[in-house]
Amino acid sequence: MSAPRNLWANRLRTDFQAALGMIVALACIPLFVSSPYLLGIVIVSMYFAMLAMGWNLLAGFTGQFSLAPAAFAMLGAYTTGLLNFHLKTPLALGLPAAVLATAFIGWVLGRLILRLRGPYLALTTLSFAEIARVVISNSYEFTRGDRGLNVPTLMQSRLGYYYLFLAVLVFMLIGLYLLMRSKVGRFWLAIRDDSIGAETRGIDVVRYKTLAFALSCAMCGFAGALYGTFSQLVSPELGLLLQTGLVISMVVIGGIGTLSGPILGALLVYLSSEWLREIGGVQLIVFSALVILFARFFRTGIWGLITTWRPREKSKSDTATEST
């Protein structure tokens, strides 16, 4: 294995182990917290972690900036809800249908727009997200519009939902880890770093961009469908641009282009937002300022700061040992 590839594999392994450590910590929370309200807050933060992981796959690992993760979560939730509402489809079929539907929409949309770059791609996905939200909001006879759509629940136990969301989070994390270790993952990184250079080396750039886009959409769609069964109500508010902004801030603050960053950012941002809501609802101002701060001075996010701090501390300890 070449030195750069070996270095990337080591970093990815460390990143994956840190993410697993956070998930183990999450698994222990119900041992000390029994409040359904507090468990519900952590469940919603895990929902946002899934969205953040899906968006990070596209933006952090492939370099494609989308403004539609919340819209695809909304589409996934409505796919499951509408199938049950109109056709009485059980959730065992409705949840996989949400994955397939959002992956298909993502694939078709990706084939149409992923030749665009920079702000054009972002604006196109933003337009799609707003169109989808407005159509759902105005289709009262089919989607019930702003009144919301009732969705059956998978289980009555709040603790059961907690560990279900945790299991899905683990599944997504392991899947991303294996993908980024594979040839496909290396192609995505090559496209992110230099799409023209990757194309000249024979990589089908549009194809692999579209694959990343479809997979990202499927992850967001499944997260939205799962959240719909938890809240038992889906509405167009799931697709608001505000929700997408929250997802982006989680990834930027936690660490874009990493496995642990989206999970860390989702937990910090959402739990902090709940706390800030109680003291005046200034969370939007605080997180907007943090995104600007991290984007300007700490582009690798909190996880990047941790990984750069550890080698410095290790080198200092090694120097001190040698001097003695």
Side-chain angles (χ1 to χ4, degrees):
M1 182 181 291
S2 63
R5 186 179 299 179
N6 190 33
L7 179 62
W8 161 248
N10 291 336
R11 288 179 177 176
L12 189 66
R13 187 182 306 110
T14 303
D15 191 8
F16 176 68
Q17 291 170 350
L20 280 181
M22 285 186 281
I23 289 176
V24 170
L26 285 173
C28 296
I29 287 179
L31 299 177
F32 307 98
V33 176
S34 58
S35 168
Y37 172 72
L38 294 178
L39 289 178
I41 291 177
V42 182
I43 288 173
V44 178
S45 70
M46 287 192 281
Y47 157 70
F48 276 108
M50 296 175 197
L51 296 186
M53 291 169 72
W55 186 81
N56 183 57
L57 167 64
L58 191 61
F61 291 131
T62 317
Q64 308 303 304
F65 197 88
S66 167
L67 290 174
F72 279 98
M74 175 189 68
L75 291 173
Y78 268 97
T79 298
T80 301
L82 289 172
L83 284 173
N84 180 266
F85 184 76
H86 291 290
L87 302 176
K88 307 304 179 184
T89 304
L91 294 179
L93 297 177
L95 289 172
V99 176
L100 295 175
T102 49
F104 176 74
I105 296 172
W107 179 269
V108 173
L109 184 64
R111 297 297 296 182
L112 295 174
I113 69 173
L114 286 177
R115 296 182 187 275
L116 302 174
R117 296 178 183 176
Y120 301 104
L121 175 61
L123 289 173
T124 304
T125 54
L126 173 61
S127 300
F128 169 80
E130 283 301 294
I131 290 171
R133 188 184 64 81
V134 170
V135 168
I136 289 176
S137 180
N138 292 331
S139 302
Y140 291 100
E141 295 183 359
F142 185 64
T143 66
R144 293 175 53 87
D146 293 329
R147 292 174 295 180
L149 184 69
N150 293 323
V151 181
T153 183
L154 282 169
M155 61 188 78
Q156 297 297 329
S157 170
R158 181 64 57 94
L159 185 62
Y161 257 112
Y162 186 95
Y163 283 110
L164 174 61
F165 272 73
L166 193 65
V168 173
L169 198 63
V170 172
F171 177 78
M172 288 186 176
L173 175 64
I174 294 174
L176 286 177
Y177 175 66
L178 295 176
L179 272 173
M180 296 314 300
R181 283 178 56 91
S182 69
K183 180 178 68 174
V184 174
R186 293 194 295 271
F187 285 173
W188 283 338
L189 294 176
I191 292 170
R192 180 195 66 182
D193 295 337
D194 185 2
S195 61
I196 297 176
E199 191 169 11
T200 58
R201 291 179 175 270
I203 298 175
D204 190 339
V205 172
V206 175
R207 177 187 176 188
Y208 283 100
K209 282 183 180 180
T210 306
L211 177 62
F213 194 78
L215 183 56
S216 172
C217 294
M219 292 173 65
C220 293
F222 183 69
L226 197 61
Y227 176 76
T229 68
F230 168 70
S231 65
Q232 300 182 54
L233 181 71
V234 296
S235 71
E237 291 186 1
L238 281 175
L240 286 173
L241 182 61
L242 176 64
Q243 301 290 319
T244 290
L246 197 60
V247 171
I248 294 173
S249 68
M250 291 170 178
V251 179
V252 172
I253 292 172
I256 191 169
T258 66
L259 294 174
S260 54
I263 301 175
L264 176 62
L267 293 173
L268 290 177
V269 170
Y270 189 76
L271 296 178
S272 300
S273 69
E274 288 297 313
W275 176 70
L276 290 172
R277 186 177 288 116
E278 296 179 358
I279 61 173
V282 296
Q283 62 269 26
L284 292 180
I285 300 174
V286 172
F287 294 129
S288 298
L290 283 175
V291 168
I292 295 172
L293 179 66
F294 274 85
R296 177 63 181 87
F297 299 105
F298 312 106
R299 296 186 178 182
T300 55
I302 295 175
W303 176 246
L305 292 176
I306 294 172
T307 53
T308 54
W309 174 75
R310 285 179 58 191
R312 291 178 183 176
E313 291 297 314
K314 184 177 180 181
S315 62
K316 288 180 181 178
S317 63
D318 291 342
T319 304
T321 304
E322 292 176 359
S323 63
T324 55

